[in-house]
Amino acid sequence: MNKRTMIVSLVVALLLVAAAGTVWAGGGAEREAVYPSRTVSVTVPWAAGGGTDRVARFWADAFQQELGVPFVVENRTGGGGAVGHSAGARAAADGYTITMVTFELATLQSMGLADLTYAGYDYILQMNEDAASVIVRADSPYQSIQDLFDAIEANPGQVSFSGTAVGGVWDLARVGMLLEAGIDPDDTLWIPSEGAAPAITDLLGGHVDVITNSLPEAQSQLEAGNLRALAVMSDQRNPAFPDVPTLKEQGIDWSGGTWRGFAVPAGTPENVRQVLVEAGEKIARSTEFENFMADAGFGIRLRLGDEYAEFVENEHYTWQTIIREIGF
Amino acid sequence: MVELFVQVMHPSILFPWFMAMLFGIFAGATPGLTATMATALIVPISYYMSPLAGLAMIIGATFTAIFAGDIPATFLRIPGTPASSAATLDGYQLTLQGKGGYALTLDLICSALGGLMGVGILIFVAPPLAQLALRFSSAEYFWLGLFGLSMSAVVSKGNTFRGIIAACFGLLVSTVGMDVTTGHPRFTFGQLDLLSGVGFIPAMIGLFGLSEVLKLVSNRDALRQPSIASAVKISLRKALPVVWRHKFTVLRSGGIGTVIGALPGAGADIAAWVSYGMAKKFSRNPDKFGTGADEGVIAPTSANNAGLAGAWIPALVFGVPGDSITAIVVGAMLMYGLRPGPLIFEQSRELVNGIFLIAVLTQFMLIGVGLLGIKAFGRILQLPRNAVIVIVLMFSIVGSFALQNSIFDIYIMIAFGIIGFYLEKNDVPLPPLILGLILGPMVERNLRVGLVRTQGDFLPFLTRPVSSVLAIALFITLFGGPILGLLRRLLSKYAAKRNEP
């Protein structure tokens, strides 16, 4: 075969492939009636390799096995979650873009970061919740949450907290706790950090007094006895940390923390959403999922469809009140 | 130990390990695919393997990727990863002189040596170094950041004034995004994409890669020539004596790299720039820097691979990651049923030893895999220039997009390409701009957070123990030379006066 015939036959082959592709895609459009019939993209507002990304990738695999089409994770990071959450809500409401929404969805608007609220989405399910906690160094003078509150009241402006960026989940959980306990949040210092890891180093190094991260984030240091948890901000004790009392047990009616779940753009057809809710419930009740969450140190909390929608709406108003109170 | 060696050499570990290293070459050499992303992509696969195989893949891929980032930086002047931005200086100059293969061979050997040094420090002195990292807080990071910024004077060859302009421009751009202490958006003009700031990687790709394309396009004669006349030559025999001659540069850079890498607030990119600056300060011919100096290639590459190893120190000792790669690793280790932190050395000694052994062996395997990578990418340079610039352009666009799946980042890349082109046309050096971009947030964040801690009091920045040492070191680097000169002049004047009758 000389060079020219080879090129010509290559071009012909390419054209054939392209034509076949068009026909195939056309056929796909006809089968659209049955959801899902093609690749679903999973928008994740946080970076690849992080906690949310890990959960999302587990679910993408599980959905793929359950529904028989590829689920592909796409990380849209930036702006403290604003970029990904906005992109996910703006996507076509056909069920082919689902978004792993996190706690930040409830605060983006109040924080002035995005013009997006809970109403931008319809909800599939929530699978995770991790409560904030109050953690100090092992040699800290504070033995109970009351000791800590007494110290703040005795020396306003001396006790420093850390855990995440300003206005992040652990910061807002701290504010909520202090307001509920009748303490002015401005009597404490919030030292912004870039996530849990630097906050834990800061606490270990004695540069801050308290962190309000979740218990699993500090697990290795808690187990090693370098850090001590005074309270967890959830309704029930964390089964992995049975010795840590809740705030409610200690007389402060406050719980708060981060959560993760799946949502589709508002206006997605009901039957499409229902397919995802049913598949999601099956996955959430599997032992694989339970093992995965236990290994990764994430708490399981299941809320399906409308129950989840109601929860996110409640969260929006809870945090809006707190954010206005402290005036970000 | 022998038993462990046999275990690590089992095909079920060796094969994925080797494949991961090849993947590392690809990810590192592709701008926009960073070592962090390589790790994130490997982790889900590794769940189906033994923990040791998973860790071998991660360690293999990351060390290879950090080296491979220097390949496009040296050949095409596009840094493959942020840690390679310093390699665009002398490495690329050597390529222009037809010595790209030599530069990368040198680079490869020093990558492996730097990595080996970092791993050695990780094995033998991890706990004390991790304790040192604990002493670092805002004030210390502030001084470290300032120290890094002072390097912009060192890296701007020629006109210092223009260097300062470039650094200030970098600092200005770095202020875009959410304010650290108030969470308020700054200079974002309502653009969601600007909330987390101007992407450093797209900016870097534009400044170096695209601006080079523009430069070539504006010169028609250059377009017709091939990039280099002959095949890329790789000669270990020529490179090894050079490495030996600069052994102290390797040692110093490896040390700086490991320590900076071990700090959770600073990473391999900063380590590379600081050791480049230090190498120039200590060099006998600092004037050669920026024109293709061997030390200019050796220093940053020794430091960034050492920094990678350094980041494992706090990750293993405290369970607190030292950079974005080890942040993913810590998550992966939890999935393997390992809990990094103070207890890991007692609970999983066997596995920790396995990690150490793999990390050491990776450095030796890196030489082989790296040479393959240099050969493969060297072919690009044999293409005519007009074909090469198309490849560079494609890499620049895809790389900027790939990082965050964001079209906006492509615009950022193009804007910085144009800015870079005009700045270089007017002899404004680009390295200080990069330093401003990387270090601006670090300096600002730590100054402001530090002031929150002290409630507005600057004194603790000077009186905290580690802080004061860093402040004095900075003072000496900035003013040591002039003060010494002044003293010498005064002394000679005094001596002259005494000699007068």
Side-chain angles (χ1 to χ4, degrees):
Chain A
M1 203 191 295
N2 68 26
K3 220 173 186 179
R4 182 163 299 171
T5 29
M6 206 160 95
I7 290 171
V8 169
S9 48
L10 256 177
V11 169
V12 170
L14 272 175
L15 282 175
L16 278 177
V17 170
T22 336
V23 171
W24 186 65
E30 273 165 36
R31 279 188 275 112
E32 201 75 14
V34 190
Y35 173 87
S37 60
R38 56 184 166 93
T39 303
V40 177
S41 101
V42 181
T43 304
V44 176
W46 305 98
T52 303
D53 179 68
R54 262 184 287 150
V55 179
R57 281 176 201 274
F58 174 90
W59 276 80
D61 275 355
F63 269 133
Q64 186 162 337
Q65 280 171 24
E66 200 60 44
L67 295 172
V69 297
F71 277 66
V72 180
V73 172
E74 251 184 67
N75 302 84
R76 295 293 309 272
T77 55
V83 172
H85 279 112
S86 304
R90 272 200 309 266
D94 55 6
Y96 288 99
T97 308
I98 67 173
T99 305
M100 173 149 259
V101 292
T102 60
F103 158 85
E104 284 71 16
L105 174 61
T107 64
L108 285 174
Q109 193 213 26
S110 311
M111 294 292 296
L113 295 180
D115 194 19
L116 173 75
T117 67
Y118 61 92
Y121 282 104
D122 287 342
Y123 294 85
I124 303 170
L125 86 167
Q126 172 189 352
M127 79 295 281
N128 155 256
E129 189 167 271
D130 280 308
S133 68
V134 181
I135 299 172
V136 294
R137 257 188 325 282
D139 60 5
S140 160
Y142 315 128
Q143 296 299 327
S144 70
I145 197 81
Q146 201 51 50
D147 286 355
L148 176 65
F149 291 157
D150 291 345
I152 297 170
E153 284 181 328
N155 303 297
Q158 292 303 310
V159 180
S160 56
F161 286 69
S162 186
T164 183
V166 168
V169 54
W170 312 129
D171 182 16
L172 295 176
R174 165 197 71 115
V175 172
M177 169 183 80
L178 293 174
L179 288 174
E180 195 60 45
I183 297 172
D184 183 357
D186 288 338
D187 284 347
T188 60
L189 290 175
W190 180 260
I191 312 297
S193 82
E194 279 168 284
I200 293 170
T201 1
D202 254 10
L203 183 65
L204 286 172
H207 310 296
V208 296
D209 301 313
V210 188
I211 59 171
T212 45
N213 296 78
S214 75
L215 289 171
E217 282 176 315
Q219 190 163 359
S220 69
Q221 295 296 331
L222 288 167
E223 278 174 0
N226 295 336
L227 298 181
R228 196 150 48 77
L230 300 180
V232 57
M233 304 186 199
S234 53
D235 299 343
Q236 273 111 39
R237 291 190 182 202
N238 185 327
F241 301 86
D243 299 333
V244 181
T246 64
L247 275 183
K248 295 193 173 174
E249 288 172 43
Q250 306 183 64
I252 295 141
D253 186 24
W254 170 255
S255 59
T258 187
W259 43 261
R260 301 179 173 98
F262 278 112
V264 285
T268 301
E270 186 55 30
N271 59 332
V272 167
R273 191 174 65 96
Q274 216 46 49
V275 170
L276 291 166
V277 172
E278 273 162 31
E281 185 177 5
K282 219 164 161 190
I283 296 163
R285 299 205 190 281
S286 68
T287 43
E288 285 92 355
F289 173 64
E290 280 167 17
N291 291 339
F292 169 84
M293 294 299 267
D295 286 344
F298 296 124
I300 295 183
R301 175 69 205 241
L302 199 57
R303 288 189 178 95
L304 292 171
D306 297 336
E307 190 195 354
Y308 185 31
E310 210 171 289
F311 169 74
V312 182
E313 188 176 344
N314 272 334
E315 285 278 289
H316 172 79
Y317 290 107
T318 309
W319 296 114
Q320 189 178 53
T321 319
I322 285 175
I323 290 166
R324 287 200 180 143
E325 190 95 24
I326 186 137
F328 278 113
Chain B
M1 204 65 213
V2 176
E3 208 175 302
L4 192 64
F5 185 81
V6 173
Q7 196 190 338
V8 164
M9 281 294 147
H10 190 271
S12 71
I13 293 180
L14 199 60
F15 181 69
W17 186 3
F18 184 71
M19 291 313 284
M21 289 185 79
L22 290 183
F23 177 63
I25 288 279
F26 168 75
T30 310
L33 283 182
T34 60
T36 312
M37 275 172 86
T39 316
L41 291 173
I42 282 177
V43 165
I45 308 171
S46 73
Y47 292 152
Y48 303 102
M49 295 177 209
S50 71
L52 217 48
L55 288 164
M57 282 178 79
I58 294 171
I59 293 171
T62 48
F63 277 99
T64 320
I66 292 285
F67 156 72
D70 290 352
I71 298 178
T74 305
F75 279 162
L76 306 172
R77 204 183 177 229
I78 325 174
T81 69
S84 302
S85 46
T88 54
L89 306 178
D90 291 86
Y92 184 67
Q93 289 302 324
L94 282 169
T95 301
L96 291 184
Q97 296 161 22
K99 292 193 272 189
Y102 160 75
L104 275 175
T105 317
L106 205 57
D107 193 308
L108 177 62
I109 297 168
C110 295
S111 282
L113 288 177
L116 207 56
M117 211 177 136
V119 174
I121 295 174
L122 166 69
I123 295 173
F124 295 109
V125 278
L129 245 182
Q131 289 297 335
L132 175 76
L134 275 194
R135 309 200 62 148
F136 269 68
S137 180
S138 307
E140 288 76 17
Y141 283 118
F142 167 71
W143 289 116
L144 189 68
L146 266 197
F147 185 71
L149 269 184
S150 77
M151 291 296 158
S152 54
V154 182
V155 294
S156 41
K157 79 185 143 123
N159 196 325
T160 313
F161 179 67
R162 286 179 189 185
I164 291 172
I165 291 181
C168 287
F169 179 67
L171 287 174
L172 177 70
V173 171
S174 80
T175 59
V176 175
M178 240 188 291
D179 185 295
V180 212
T181 52
T182 63
H184 194 81
R186 287 189 306 204
F187 304 129
T188 61
F189 306 101
Q191 269 285 350
L192 269 185
D193 298 281
L194 282 176
L195 265 183
S196 43
V198 172
F200 168 62
I201 291 176
M204 192 177 70
I205 293 175
L207 279 175
F208 288 115
L210 186 65
S211 73
E212 193 69 9
V213 170
L214 293 176
K215 204 195 289 174
L216 285 173
V217 171
S218 62
N219 178 357
R220 287 191 128 199
D221 292 335
L223 275 184
R224 297 207 183 85
Q225 297 152 11
S227 309
I228 49 164
S230 57
V232 170
K233 268 192 240 106
I234 295 171
S235 162
L236 284 175
R237 209 186 300 158
K238 224 171 119 197
L240 281 172
V242 178
V243 174
W244 179 248
R245 202 177 323 132
H246 297 297
K247 51 192 175 296
F248 293 115
T249 308
V250 175
L251 282 176
R252 183 179 53 242
S253 308
I256 292 173
T258 315
V259 173
I260 293 184
L263 300 173
D269 46 351
I270 296 174
W273 281 105
V274 168
S275 61
Y276 182 88
M278 294 302 275
K280 187 171 176 185
K281 282 229 150 193
F282 280 99
S283 172
R284 255 177 248 136
N285 359 301
D287 298 336
K288 269 206 79 188
F289 275 72
T291 63
D294 294 333
E295 293 147 285
V297 174
I298 291 172
T301 192
S302 310
N304 61 21
N305 276 51
L308 201 59
W312 282 74
I313 293 175
L316 282 181
V317 176
F318 294 127
V320 171
D323 63 359
S324 52
I325 294 171
T326 41
I328 301 174
V329 170
V330 168
M333 284 172 116
L334 291 176
M335 300 303 299
Y336 304 148
L338 282 169
R339 191 163 291 285
L343 301 179
I344 196 175
F345 291 93
E346 291 146 42
Q347 287 171 351
S348 327
R349 186 73 236 187
E350 187 87 337
L351 239 131
V352 172
N353 284 342
I355 294 174
F356 288 163
L357 185 63
I358 286 168
V360 170
L361 293 176
T362 295
Q363 311 307 326
F364 292 99
M365 287 164 66
L366 176 59
I367 302 263
V369 175
L371 287 176
L372 261 172
I374 299 173
K375 271 266 178 224
F377 277 81
R379 302 210 165 253
I380 292 177
L381 290 190
Q382 282 160 269
L383 299 169
R385 273 239 169 98
N386 49 14
V388 172
I389 62 172
V390 174
I391 295 174
V392 172
L393 201 60
M394 190 190 74
F395 263 162
S396 303
I397 292 173
V398 174
S400 317
F401 175 78
L403 198 71
Q404 298 197 68
N405 290 324
S406 157
I407 299 281
F408 188 80
D409 280 348
I410 299 179
Y411 302 146
I412 297 267
M413 185 275 293
I414 293 172
F416 274 85
I418 296 167
I419 292 170
F421 173 68
Y422 280 105
L423 288 181
E424 282 207 305
K425 229 178 165 179
N426 293 300
D427 295 320
V428 178
L430 296 180
L433 204 169
I434 290 287
L435 277 179
L437 267 178
I438 304 181
L439 295 169
M442 178 172 169
V443 171
E444 192 213 347
R445 152 178 282 274
N446 287 299
L447 175 64
R448 296 194 50 202
V449 172
L451 288 175
V452 171
R453 280 177 211 274
T454 60
Q455 300 180 46
D457 186 3
F458 193 76
L459 203 63
F461 278 78
L462 298 169
T463 54
R464 293 167 55 95
V466 179
S467 209
S468 61
V469 172
L470 289 170
I472 290 167
L474 177 66
F475 185 80
I476 290 174
T477 13
L478 285 185
F479 303 110
I483 289 176
L484 220 68
L486 197 74
L487 278 179
R488 210 171 281 149
R489 235 176 304 146
L490 282 177
L491 271 178
S492 61
K493 236 187 213 165
Y494 178 70
K497 247 189 196 158
R498 274 190 63 174
N499 285 345
E500 276 173 26

